Every structure is written in C-alpha cells, then in structure tokens.
C-alpha cells in the first residue's frame, strides 16, 4: 500500500483496487442509495439458519430459492471465502411509497422490489468488470404468485434441485441470505447497522440483501 508523507504525519493513499471499489460503490448507489461497503470476511455463515428454514418456515421445499434446493451452508462458506469485498443493501420498508390507491405496498410488492434491486446491482457490478458479482436477496422469492416447486407439489410431484431449471424468473431470482446459511443479524451488526427482532405484526420490517464483488 502506498503512503504519502506530510509535515504533520503520514497520509494513506488508496491503492488501485480500493479506488476501483470506491468507484463501483458510487455507481451502485445510483441504483439503490442505502448501501454499505463491507469486507467479505465479516459475513457470518452459521448452521442454525438452515434449521430455522427447515423447522418453522412454510416456504421450505416450496420455493426453488429456498432449502433444500439451494447450496448447503458449507458450500456457501467455501464460496464466500473466495471474495474480499461486498455491498450490503438495506431496505427500510417504512420509507416505501404508497401505491396509487393510497395503501402501503404489500409484503409481496416489497420483496419483489428487493429481489429486482439485488439483480440490478449484481448486473451493474458485472458490467463494471466485477465478473464474479453474485447477489442474494431476502425472504422467499415473491416474483411469481406461486413457485413452480409449489405447483409440482400440488400436482403430486416431488420437486428436486434439478427441477429449478423450470424457474420462470431465473434471470432475477436469487436465494436469500438466510437460505444459504448466512446469519443476517450477525452480519448486519458486523457491518455497523442496528437491527432488532420485530415484536408486532404492524411493525415495518427492514430487509437486507447482499452482493459479493471481486
């Protein structure tokens, strides 16, 4: 790392890769403003998250972006270890505009916005030269009213991971952070954000997405 000396001490000069990260960060903020640049090694991958998916979540086995159709926790941990940097995207649903009817957006509308935004961020990073960019959303996919996996179950057929090729939204659909085994609470706190468990159904949630760079 280059350093520049001054009469009052030493001033650190950013290296080429850091300068590139600053540039891509500014570019991505034109797509979504609430971003935090983070080192990839603060992303916490924990086994318990998959247990919560399997026991307690109605989406388990009914969405191709959810377990058991997505990579394992160990695969996620190995993949993230190949990256140095990432951006964390925050979506404060309390700030989402009301629809033309004056009503607040539905959870499905919010999640579709999150998923499309993460896909847009990933694509922008890719086109900027970060060819390994990979995005992760939040919560089960809401791009379709009913996932193909659920349709197969309703028809009496058990879907397999190979059936994910039948997804109607493959260009946009990405697995959620928690589905891949990422502890969102720990990761978000590591990034300097404050996050709490909601205690009421009327409390507006805050969602987070992630885009790995490099």
């Amino acid at each position: 790392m280059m350093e520049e000396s001054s009469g009052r001490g030493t001033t650190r000069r950013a290296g080429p890769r850091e300068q590139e990260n600053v540039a891509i960060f500014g570019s991505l903020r034109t797509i979504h403003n609430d971003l935090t640049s983070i080192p990839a090694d603060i992303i916490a991958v924990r086994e318990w998250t998959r247990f919560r998916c399997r026991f307690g979540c109605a989406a388990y086995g009914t969405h191709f972006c959810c377990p058991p159709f997505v990579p394992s926790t160990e695969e996620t941990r190995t993949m993230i270890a190949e990256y140095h940097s990432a951006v964390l995207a925050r979506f404060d649903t309390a700030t989402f505009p009301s629809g033309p009817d004056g009503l607040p957006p539905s959870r499905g509308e919010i999640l579709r916005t999150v998923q499309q935004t993460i896909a847009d961020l990933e694509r922008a990073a890719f086109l900027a030269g970060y060819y390994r960019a990979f995005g992760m959303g939040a919560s089960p996919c809401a791009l379709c009213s009913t996932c193909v996996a659920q349709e197969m179950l309703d028809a009496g057929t058990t879907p397999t991971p190979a059936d994910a090729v039948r997804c109607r939204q493959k260009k946009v659909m990405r697995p959620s952070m928690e589905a891949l085994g990422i502890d969102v609470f720990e990761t978000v706190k590591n990034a300097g954000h404050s996050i709490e468990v909601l205690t009421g159904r009327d409390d507006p949630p805050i969602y987070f997405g992630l885009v790995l760079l490099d």
Side-chain angles (χ1 to χ4, degrees):
M1 184 65 61
M2 297 179 63
E3 291 185 346
E4 197 172 68
S5 179
S6 70
R8 290 188 294 268
T10 300
T11 302
R12 183 172 175 270
R13 183 189 298 169
R17 192 57 177 174
E18 285 180 300
Q19 293 172 349
E20 290 178 15
N21 285 344
V22 169
I24 186 60
F25 184 64
S27 177
L28 295 180
R29 289 191 71 177
T30 65
I31 297 173
H32 184 70
N33 185 59
D34 200 344
L35 298 178
T36 303
S37 178
I38 64 172
D41 60 8
I42 73 167
I43 300 170
V45 183
R46 304 288 183 253
E47 299 294 337
W48 72 264
T49 62
R50 293 291 288 262
F51 279 74
R52 289 295 300 270
C53 283
R54 186 173 181 179
F55 303 100
C57 181
Y60 182 85
T62 66
H63 292 68
F64 283 130
C65 68
C66 295
F69 306 116
V70 298
S72 67
T73 304
E74 187 55 40
E75 288 176 293
T76 299
R77 186 177 290 111
T78 300
M79 186 266 287
I80 290 176
E82 297 178 353
Y83 289 81
H84 296 93
S85 59
V87 290
L88 192 68
R90 181 179 182 271
F91 299 85
D92 187 346
T93 62
T95 66
F96 273 53
S98 300
D101 54 6
L103 297 175
S106 67
R107 183 172 183 270
E109 291 172 325
I110 291 172
L111 290 178
R112 284 190 288 274
T113 297
V114 173
Q115 288 152 357
Q116 183 63 60
T117 301
I118 292 299
D120 291 343
L121 291 170
E122 179 193 283
R123 177 167 174 76
F126 174 81
L127 293 176
Y130 290 74
Y131 63 91
R132 293 198 291 157
F134 184 77
M136 301 169 226
S139 294
C141 181
L143 294 171
C144 296
S145 58
T146 305
C147 182
V148 174
Q150 182 64 66
E151 293 174 351
M152 294 178 66
L153 288 168
D154 292 342
T157 302
T158 301
T160 69
D163 290 313
V165 70
R166 301 173 60 181
C167 171
R168 291 182 287 256
Q169 301 285 348
K170 285 186 69 64
K171 288 186 177 181
V172 179
M173 187 273 281
R174 295 293 183 272
S176 66
M177 296 168 67
E178 58 269 27
L180 291 175
I182 293 174
D183 183 333
V184 179
F185 275 76
E186 183 177 349
T187 299
V188 165
K189 289 178 179 178
N190 289 345
H193 287 274
S194 176
I195 187 172
E196 298 177 352
V197 174
L198 299 182
T199 57
R201 288 187 175 274
D202 294 331
D203 295 335
I206 296 175
Y207 293 105
F208 287 88
L210 184 73
V211 180
L212 297 169
L213 297 175
D214 288 16

